[in-house]
Amino acid sequence: MTEVAGQVLIDAARTAAANAHAPYSNFAVGAAVLLTDGSIVPGTNFENASYGLSLCAETVALAAVNMAGRLRDVVAIGIVGGMIRGDRIEGTAPIRPCGRCRQVLNEAAQVGRRDVLVYCGSATGDEIERHDLSDLIPYAFGPRDLGVVV
Ligand code: THU
């Protein structure tokens, strides 16, 4: 995977973050999932008044991928986040997926039988981290343990 692909995913995640519904945390997150055919599926965080039942951007994007019947085809994901200030999203430090999102990503990785690349970026900064999902969630419990993937 080229770094060009990483930048494309970060750009798509930034576009998605603009649609965040995050009036409680004021932290907008965007995600963009790359599939085997080159298509990109976006997601953004979707908070609600219960706070605790909020949906993360990565999970929203992966649910859309699954709904399209493409869960086995996930190659990579780009993630960005930053504080909402007026009509801008600000932040230069790359953000990494939360623990729950790592578990959800692992579902896609195991059913697709490939490690997923995770590009972590920020709202406005240039730095992009590139991780293998298996490094972010080592020794993961997953569908393989339940015999769903053999
Ligand atoms: N959030 C995500 O969307 N993805 C993550 O991986 C980390 C956190 C969201 C949840 C909440 O809406 C806001 O960021 C602040 O935690």
Side-chain angles (χ1 to χ4, degrees):
M1 183 82 37
T2 66
E3 295 319 309
V4 175
Q7 186 65 59
V8 167
L9 289 177
I10 292 301
D11 289 345
R14 284 176 175 161
T15 300
N19 289 325
H21 178 69
Y24 307 103
S25 71
N26 280 311
F27 194 79
V29 181
V33 176
L34 177 67
L35 302 180
T36 45
D37 65 357
S39 57
I40 293 176
V41 180
T44 191
N45 54 335
F46 179 22
E47 298 183 348
N48 65 71
S50 74
Y51 289 29
L53 295 178
S54 294
L55 304 175
C56 286
E58 302 93 311
T59 299
V60 167
L62 287 164
V65 167
N66 182 55
M67 196 177 66
R70 306 294 303 279
L71 195 61
R72 285 166 180 73
D73 300 334
V74 174
V75 174
I77 186 168
I79 304 158
V80 302
M83 294 304 300
I84 301 168
R85 295 197 207 286
D87 59 359
R88 289 178 49 79
I89 302 170
E90 295 179 356
T92 55
I95 68 149
R96 297 109 187 176
C98 77
R100 181 174 186 263
C101 289
R102 296 177 195 204
Q103 184 70 45
V104 177
L105 279 162
N106 180 65
E107 190 73 17
Q110 285 199 12
V111 300
R113 300 168 195 274
R114 71 174 69 77
D115 211 348
V116 170
L117 274 168
V118 182
Y119 293 98
C120 302
S122 64
T124 57
D126 291 334
E127 187 185 350
I128 299 175
E129 292 179 358
R130 180 184 187 272
H131 300 283
D132 292 327
L133 179 67
S134 59
D135 290 330
L136 296 180
I137 182 166
Y139 305 105
F141 177 79
R144 210 174 280 140
D145 297 298
L146 299 178
V148 172
V149 174
V150 288

